[in-house]
Structures are given as structure tokens and as C-alpha cells.
Amino acid sequence: MKKYTLKISLFLLVFSLLGGMTKAENYYVDFESFTKTSYASATVTLGNYNWNFTGSVAGNSTSDWKVGSVSARLAGTTKSTSNAETTKIEMLSNKAGGIGNISFQYRKYGSDEQIPWYVQWSSDGTTWTTIQEITATDVVQTFSFDLNQDNARIRIIANGFVTSTANGKRINIDELYLTDNGSQTSVANPTFTVTGTIKSTDVYWNSAKVSISSSTAGASIYYTLDGSEPTTSSTLYEGEITITTTTTIKAIAVKSGMNNSQISEKTITISAPATASLPFTEIFDGNLGDFYPFSKTGDQIWIASSYSSGTYTKFAKMSGYSGGNKENEDWLISPEFTPASASGITLTFASATNYNGPALQLKYSTNYDGFSDPSTATWTDITGSAAWPAEASSFAWVESGNVSIAGATPVRFAFVYTSTTEAAATWEVANVNVVNSAASATPTITVTEISVPEMSANVGKTDTETITVSGANLTDNIILTISGANADQFSVSPSSIEPVSGTVTDASVTITYSPTVESNHVAVLTLSSTGAEDVSLNLSGSATVSGLNPAVIKGVYARDGKIFVNAAVAGMNIEVYNTVGQRVASQVLKGDLNIIPVSTKGVLLVKCGSEVTKVILP
């Protein structure tokens, strides 16, 4: 589907004379009363005009382009006819007043080839003058012309071309208005011009803007948006109106000294982009469902198709081949899905392909508005997350497997088809399912022991404690680290535990306290793993020195007013006392010869930790 900005002007031309003057007549044909459906001639008389249709008048047909009405379908050339001049609409005037204004809406029929048509007039039915050339497209257009000629005839014709008969060249005509060539005493009816992103006739995505005008200079326009009849007490039109919900707008034009116009009205339907609840399934049963086809390049588009038998009999299909390889870029975009949790959503589908050509791509977006050109949004390519059939694999179906998108942000998926003039494969997509992703199990770490008992050791010795560690749903190793003020006084083994299939069961971990100085020590053991909540245990230890342990003090002697201590371990506090208990010296040992000056003579006590030895200083 391509984006169109549609401007449809509905010409309702009503003329009348003031009292005492001859009333001008106006005629309108919407073709709803016609029942002829074959390609044949028809003549209908309305008022003073004969409407001759040489070609086709299609009535009550669901294929008519204007929803809710019927149109005349002119066959410019068909598969059996190459002379377009045999098909035309011709309007003949029987009265001297002639034709004032003519207007009608037109559009190309179906997928027929676009060709030039001509609006012409004649005063004798023999010599014809072209008013304007028109070329019908997929977009509804309006032709309007003030002819103002007596005894005028009007026709719409494709003049005598001869082309290939492979494709039809038809046009649809609707909403045909005609006025007499008389005096205008009533204000011209208001006309509406609508702009916006069109979804279909009179249906717009999200919002539309409406302008109202009257061809009568100086006329004032009053309008309503609630479906009520407008009067001069209604809202005065002063500028473009924004429509955000489905609305019927009615308007009337007035001017001093002239009759009020008739009331014009138009219903504008506003369509919101598709959203879908989960779980979601689309099997493309006869249509594309809530999927939105957006064609960026080329005339070929995504369609719903089917087989009579096979694994999948209904599917969405896209081919860039049409009488040859064509360049295309076409998106098939899903409705918006809102995940139930941060676990996200999971997509599955089946795909099949045949013939050589670029592979189908799979993308997703969290900021696409649902109807604009996809290039206005950010798309992430996840083609590699799905399984796909091989190129030219004779339409063998392949299941995609789970394609998961994490996060709670609303998401749209898109299947993106491309082809070139060198290669154009055919791709089919079936059985699309989207569900909320199952919440993944949270990794956990467990320590059997609630706390680690306090440890104690003499300086230079060790103490150990053991804890039991388990883990579940792990995606990474359990890492054990020690931190804190006295982390260097403790160690742990092992420092990493590897899970087996995400599990650790009753792993034994040893914590060792190895004090190097006499003191109380604290630290923290932390167990961590990706996605799991950390587990922390407090560690504490108390370090002492047991007397003048030969392992600490190698020798003590005194001379020359000094005490000499040969120490093997640094960090111990050594103190010297006299015989009455007064401390006369103290020092922290270093791990070799220590010299402690002392001014007191005689018997002295040397204390290290809880042990005391006696020396005599002469």
C-alpha cells in the first residue's frame, strides 16, 4: 500500500433565480439507480438531459471504487476490443439553455493500464473540442469545468487508439453533476478538500485536515461536526479543521442578497493503526488480516493466497515477477504487540520460496507508527534469528523456530521483500503466531551456613572454616572475592565455581585466616554470578602471639644500656618493665635484630604477647 495525500472536492452546483426569474435547473447522477452491469449501451433521461452511455454502466457491483455507491465503468479497450472510440459517455442537451458547469469524479478501474481520456464538448454533435485531458490513477480525482454554452453536448472518450489487447483500459466515473447555462442566484454549495494519509476512499490514518470553500466570492461558510444541520448560528469557518475521530462534517454557504446554498456534507473515517492482544495468530484466510502491506518500490504487492492442499493452504504471498522480473521493495508489517513483562514476546511462522531472488528479511521496530513509510522508523534486522528455506526450494515449508524479543516495549514485526530486474523470487508466509515469552528462571546462589564463625590464630599460623555453596539457573560461574579493611588476612578456595547445566550442588569452599600481625581483623566474602543476587558473608579473626615463641623470638640479651631482640616475625609489640611493674620501653618488632634503648639498670622483664622473659642490664 502506498501513501497518498487525497484531495477530493465534491462539486454540488445548485443554481436558482430570485423571484420573477426563470429557475436554472441542475442534474446529478450517482448511478445508484442503474442496474445494468454488462458492457453495453444505455440511455437515461433526467429532466432536460439525455445521458447516453455507450460502453458500460455498472450497478450494484461490489467492485465499484466508490464505497456505498455505484459508478459508470467505461471500457476504453478490453481484451476483445482495441478501438477505444467505441466506448464513451455522451450527454446531450435538449434545451436552448445549454450546459453551464459539469463536474464528476474519476478513478482508474482495478489494475487496468493508465491511459489518457478526453473531456470534450460540441454544439452539433459532429465537431468536438477538447476541454481537458485526464489520466485516471488509483487516487480519486475530480474534474470540474464551467462550459457555459448553449445546445452543448459533453462526452468523455479515449480517442481511437489501437494497442495491445493484453490488458483492459477502463475508467470509473461517478458523482456526475450538470447545471443549466442559466443565472446563478444561490450561493454555490460548499466543497470539502481533505488531506492526510489515506487508507482508502474517505478513510485516513490517525487524522485528516479539512478545508471548506465556496466558488461564490465573499460567501461565509458555517459548519457542524456532530452531524447536525448547520445554520448561521453554527461555527463560522475560518481555517483548516483537524479531524482525529470519525466525523460527519456539514456546511452551508451564505451571502447577503443571495439564496443560501444547500447543505453539503462529508463523512471522514479515521482509522487507528492496528494493535493486537496476545496470544495472536494470523493464517491469512482470504485477506492479510491486521497485517499492513506497504509498497515502497514497484507495482507488485503482498496479497493473501491459498493452495488446495499441502502443509499450509492459506498464506501471505509476494512475488516481484510480472511478465518479467521487476524491482520491488514491499513490507508486510504486523499489528503492534505489547509484551506482558520484560521477558518480551516470541514470534513463530512458516515460510516457503521458489525461484531465484533476494532472501526475505525479518525486522522489528519499537517506534513505527503503524502507517507511515517504514524508513521513518528504526528497524532491527533479526533475519538471522529464524530458520528459512533455501533459495529456489520449490515451496517446501520451513518452520522458523522461536524468534524472541526481550523487553516490555510495544513491538511490530515486518517481513521485507525485495526483488530486482535480474532476480525476483516468490515468497510465502503462513501461520504467524506471537505469544508472551515465558519468564526465564532467575539465577540464584545459596550458602547453607547463615554466617561464618569467628576465626583465631597466632601470628604466623592459620585457621579455616568451610561453607557449602549451591546455585540454580546459572548462566555463568560463581565468583568468590574477599574485600574490606583486612582482606589481605583472609583467602578463599576455590575462587570460582563452574556450574553444570546451570547448577552447582553442595560445593565445599574453604576460608583461611592467616594473620601477620597481632590484632582483630574483619573482611567480607562475596559470591556473585551473572543475573544472580550477590551473597555476602562477614569474616572476622583474632590474632595473638604466644609468649616468646622460638618461632617469633630467636633470642634476647642485654648490654651497654640496650636490650637486643632477634625476631623472626615482624609486627609483634614488645615491652620492657622494671621489677615494680613500670613500663620503661616498648617497640614494634621488625623481622631481624631489634635494639631497644633502656635507661634503667638491673633486673628487667621483657614481655611479648602473653609471654615474659627476664634479663639483667648491668
Side-chain angles (χ1 to χ4, degrees), residues 105 145 148 341 358 387 482 495 525 581:
Q105 294 178 347
F145 186 77
N148 298 321
S341 70
I482 295 176
S495 59
L525 171 64

Side-chain angles (χ1 to χ4, degrees), residues 446-532:
T446 304
V447 176
T448 302
E449 291 74 20
I450 298 175
S451 61
V452 178
E454 183 178 5
M455 293 175 278
S456 63
N458 288 332
V459 173
K461 298 293 184 178
T462 62
D463 190 11
T464 61
E465 291 291 340
T466 300
I467 59 174
T468 303
V469 178
S470 298
N473 307 311
L474 298 173
T475 60
D476 206 347
N477 290 359
I478 298 176
I479 305 300
L480 299 95
T481 57
I482 295 176
S483 61
N486 308 121
D488 60 338
Q489 304 294 301
F490 300 86
S491 62
V492 61
S493 180
S495 59
S496 177
I497 305 173
E498 183 178 1
V500 177
S501 298
T503 301
V504 171
T505 303
D506 295 338
S508 181
V509 173
T510 300
I511 304 166
T512 301
Y513 176 50
S514 304
T516 58
V517 294
E518 182 183 19
S519 184
N520 293 321
H521 301 110
V522 293
V524 176
L525 171 64
T526 301
L527 297 86
S528 60
S529 184
T530 302

